Structure formats: C-alpha cells, structure tokens
Amino acid sequence: MRFIFKTDYDQDIRLAKHGGHVFWYGLLCAALVAAPWALPEYWLAQLTFVLIYAIAGLGLMLLAGFTGLFSLGHAAFLGVGAYTQAVLTNAGVPFPLALVAAAALSAAVGLVVGLPALRVKGIYLGMATLSFGFIVEEVLARWESVTKGNAGMHIHAPDLFGWKVESGEQFYAVCLVITIAATLGILNLLRSPTGRAFVAIRDSEISAQSMGIHLAYYKTLSFAISAALAGVAGALYAHKLQFISPDQFNILQSIDLLLMIVIGGLGSVHGAFLGAIFLISMPQLISLVKDYLPAFIGSAPGLQGTVYGAVLIAFVLFEPMGLYGRWLKVRTYLQMFPFYRKGMFKRQKSFQKSDRLK
C-alpha cells in the first residue's frame, strides 16, 4: 500500500494555486479575446503593442529580474529578430518558419553576448551589453545589401501557409496567441529546476555555485532565452509597423525596455505586463495633460523624457517593487480590512545574504 502525502511544495509549483486564479485569469483571457469586437481600431492597435512589448519584457524580466543580469543593449536583440523576420518574409518564407528563425538567430546572438557575463557583472556587464547594442545598430545601418541601411525596409504581411494576416484584428489574434504561449512557457520554466537555478544565481552566485549550479551554463542560457523572446517581439514589432529602420533599435529603446520592467516590478511575471501597459499608455497621458500645462512646459522637447525620469526616481525611492509591489500592498490591505494597522507597510531596510558575501 502506498501513501501519497500532499505537501505545500505541491501547491507552490502549480500554475493556478486556487480557484480564484482560474476565475480571474480566465476572465482576463475572455476579455482579451473579446477585445477586437469591443475596442476601436486605434485602441486595439495600442493593445497589440502592449502584447508585443510584454513578450520582450518577459525575456528581459527573466534575465534581469530572475537571474540578476542587467542588459542595456536589449534593443539589439529586438532589431536582430525584426530584420531576420523582414528579410525572410520578403523572400517568401511563411510567417511561422520566419518567426522560429528570428528567435533562433536572436538566441544565438544572445549566447555570444552572454559570454562577457561569465567574467563581469553589475555596471561592467551593462557597459558590455551597451557596447553590443551600438555595434548591432551600426551593422544594421551599414549592411545595406541586406538591411537597406538607414533608408529602412518594408515588410510584407504575415503569411500563415497561404493565409494572409492583413487586418489589425487578425494580427492582434496572432500576437495574443504568441503572448499566452510565451507567458505559459516562462511560468513553467521558472518552476522548473532551471528556473530555480536562475533565482539562486540572482540571490547569491557563491551559494549557487556551492550547491553545484554551473554558473557559466545557466548565465548563457538565460541570455539565450531572453534574446529569443526579444527576437520574437522584434518580429511581431516589424509586422505591426510594416517598416523598420536601424534608429528604431537604439539605446533609447533599450532604456525603455529596462524602464518597463523596473516600473512594472522586478522579479515578477506580472511586472512585465504592467510595465508594458505603462510604457504604451504614458505617452498618451502626457499628450492629454500637456494641453493643460503652461506653454513653455507643454511645448518643451524633453517633456516625455523628464516625466519618465521623474517616475523612475519616484518608484526607486518609494516603491522599489514597482507597480506589482504596489498592487500586492493594496491586495493585502483589502484582505486584512478592517484590521489594517497604520504603518504596517512601511518600507523596511533589509539586506540579502549575498550582499555580505560580495
């Protein structure tokens, strides 16, 4: 006779820990499926961009939020995926095959970029990835026989083995399916031994190595997976815009991606989506508010960058866990109401064990 004991560990590795998750995420999926019939064309296009940036955010979140390796040149992977998709699609390759090739080539480039991560970390790794971003941008601008240089290149509509994806509603459905697949893949990866190794490296490289985790293998693997997701996002980005040029994948795009996951909430899958919503909605909010500001402020050329910087500083100082961290506090408050005690959510200064071992 065998006795099967259900432990808390079994509960922790389930994607949906209770029925509430199934209900609310099911309701969210139903709302996203119904969006093409409920939203105007403009807002559906903005929602499509949210899904595209969320895919890129998932990759960067895996690298920075769960492995602890920051990249300041992630837009380069976005560009590699976009140009690979454009070249293959214009050559007549079906959309799924071109998408796989874009992800594979981006992952291969990510492996190369991940090699410096074996020797450097922190600001030095950021400088290495930043340099790589400049190199890729220059290659895209100079390799005119393939990329058309600074003149840019158009890309044909996606071809799903004979079915042309031409309308915004159809392309939104394609992006939604890919985003759901990428999210489920990341969630399953994080609850696997590989995902737990990533988190162990983030918390303390010395402790992870002492437990037998191969730092070189898992660091390069994290870079490769992150770059592959960025390549997929870049391919979808190219199809959505239908025109790409090297200046779309510069340092500012990399900063936007990093800003997205920091404000969304480092170390959480939800943060990638919340950050993508912030990144897409903030320019719209700024354009609405600037009409009510004094003329010398509303017409200032650096208004958007100033607002982004102020928001980032505010989150770093007052809410380091980002939008998702704020939501966790609101949820806890609602769960404990009316037993909420003033000051219970004050930020406490804490140190990881790894900080004492560095």
Side-chain angles (χ1 to χ4, degrees), residues 53-54 56-65 69-71 255-268 271-276 278-279 312 320-323:
Y53 274 98
L58 286 172
L60 188 54
M61 186 68 75
L62 178 69
L63 181 68
L69 304 173
F70 284 89
S71 171
I255 293 175
D256 281 345
L257 293 175
L258 191 59
L259 178 75
M260 178 177 67
I261 63 167
V262 171
I263 292 181
L266 278 175
S268 66
F273 289 89
L274 294 175
F278 168 85
L279 192 65
L312 180 59
M321 294 181 64
L323 292 172

Side-chain angles (χ1 to χ4, degrees), residues 9-355:
Y9 177 77
D10 298 326
Q11 298 288 338
D12 291 337
I13 65 174
R14 289 163 55 183
L15 286 178
K17 295 183 179 180
H18 51 76
H21 281 181
V22 176
F23 173 78
W24 288 111
Y25 288 124
L27 187 62
L28 176 61
C29 289
L32 291 174
V33 170
W37 292 276
L39 295 178
E41 183 179 356
Y42 173 78
W43 291 110
L44 184 65
Q46 298 303 307
L47 184 56
T48 304
F49 277 116
V50 168
L51 296 178
I52 293 173
Y53 274 98
I55 296 174
L58 286 172
L60 188 54
M61 186 68 75
L62 178 69
L63 181 68
F66 291 101
T67 315
L69 304 173
F70 284 89
S71 171
L72 290 176
H74 224 64
F77 303 125
L78 212 69
V80 171
Y83 274 93
T84 302
Q85 185 75 16
V87 170
L88 294 180
T89 299
N90 292 346
V93 178
F95 171 77
L97 299 181
L99 188 67
V100 172
L105 184 58
S106 298
V109 175
L111 283 174
V112 176
V113 180
L115 295 178
L118 309 180
R119 294 288 183 179
V120 297
K121 57 184 177 180
I123 188 173
Y124 301 104
L125 178 60
M127 292 172 62
T129 54
L130 178 62
S131 302
F132 169 74
F134 287 135
I135 293 173
V136 170
E137 184 182 357
E138 195 66 20
V139 169
L140 295 179
R142 301 297 180 182
W143 199 3
E144 297 184 359
S145 60
V146 176
T147 65
K148 310 301 181 185
N150 289 317
M153 64 186 303
H154 293 272
I155 181 172
H156 298 162
D159 182 5
L160 295 175
F161 300 105
W163 176 51
K164 289 284 187 179
V165 181
E166 297 179 342
S167 68
E169 292 80 4
Q170 293 173 343
F171 186 70
Y172 167 79
V174 172
C175 292
L176 180 60
V177 171
I178 295 175
T179 303
I180 293 175
T183 305
L184 293 177
I186 288 294
L187 289 173
N188 279 283
L189 176 66
L190 291 175
R191 67 197 189 113
S192 69
T194 300
R196 296 177 186 272
F198 289 157
V199 175
I201 293 173
R202 178 197 66 186
D203 291 343
S204 173
E205 292 188 9
I206 296 177
S207 300
Q209 195 170 21
S210 67
M211 291 187 294
I213 295 176
H214 197 292
L215 297 184
Y217 171 77
Y218 284 105
K219 283 185 176 182
T220 53
L221 179 62
S222 179
F223 258 103
I225 297 175
S226 178
L229 287 174
V232 171
L236 297 176
Y237 182 79
H239 278 297
K240 182 58 182 175
L241 293 181
Q242 300 180 352
F243 176 82
I244 53 176
S245 60
D247 59 356
Q248 294 173 335
F249 310 102
N250 53 19
I251 178 61
L252 296 179
Q253 182 75 279
S254 297
I255 293 175
D256 281 345
L257 293 175
L258 191 59
L259 178 75
M260 178 177 67
I261 63 167
V262 171
I263 292 181
L266 278 175
S268 66
V269 174
H270 296 82
F273 289 89
L274 294 175
I277 294 173
F278 168 85
L279 192 65
I280 298 301
S281 62
M282 185 56 67
Q284 316 298 328
L285 294 176
I286 293 175
S287 62
L288 291 175
V289 174
K290 68 190 304 183
D291 295 334
Y292 300 95
L293 297 175
F296 70 94
I297 297 179
S299 60
L303 178 61
Q304 180 171 324
T306 303
V307 173
Y308 276 20
V311 171
L312 180 59
I313 292 173
F315 270 97
V316 170
L317 291 177
F318 303 108
E319 192 51 81
M321 294 181 64
L323 292 172
Y324 184 62
R326 175 53 55 181
W327 157 245
L328 290 179
K329 292 179 180 179
V330 172
R331 187 184 66 180
T332 304
Y333 169 79
L334 295 175
Q335 289 175 343
M336 299 185 66
F337 185 82
F339 302 105
Y340 166 76
R341 182 167 55 87
K342 185 178 180 181
M344 67 182 303
F345 292 129
K346 281 186 177 180
R347 181 184 177 192
Q348 296 179 353
K349 190 174 182 180
S350 61
F351 298 93
Q352 295 178 349
K353 292 183 179 179
S354 57
D355 293 332

